[in-house]
Each structure stands twice: as C-alpha cells, then as structure tokens.
Amino acid sequence: MQLFKRFSFWLPLLSVLVCIFNATGIDDYNMLLVLTSPHLALLENIPSIGRHLNGMTIIYFINVFGWLVIGLIIDLIINQFKPA
C-alpha cells in the first residue's frame, strides 16, 4: 500500500490517462496534453527541439517520463522533511 501514497506513482498514471485521452482524438488541438505538461510546453518553445518532435509516441514518452521524474523529486523532498 506504500506505492499508492507516492507522487511517483500517481503523476505518471495521470499522465498516461491524459495520453490515452489525447490518443483517442478527443483532444484535437493537444490542449490538455500541453496544459498539463509544463515540460512539453517548454520543449515546444525551443524551435530546434520542437520541430523534431513530430511523432506522438515520443511526446507521450516524454510526458510520462517527465511526470515520473517530477514525482520522484517531490517524493524525495517529502522524505527529507518526514520525521524518522
């Protein structure tokens, strides 16, 4: 049950759900995908990188991996302040 209390579990899971929502075609303009992923918004603003990210599979992978890293960082911060 410790897994369900971690941000590194929930944030990638929600990210996968957003990717599935986007892949079904409901999110035509990728608004939900970009608005819920600050790291994707940053990549879109860099012209040399944004032009090369045409494949949606790569964008989905970056999205899930980015939220996993953010979740791990949040978990590390919480563990630093948690009493022993």
Side-chain angles (χ1 to χ4, degrees), residues 55-79:
M56 289 306 290
T57 306
I58 296 170
I59 292 174
Y60 294 155
F61 177 75
I62 291 172
N63 187 28
V64 173
F65 184 73
W67 280 114
L68 176 65
V69 170
I70 291 170
L72 288 172
I73 291 170
I74 292 171
D75 286 339
L76 286 173
I77 291 171
I78 289 173
N79 286 336

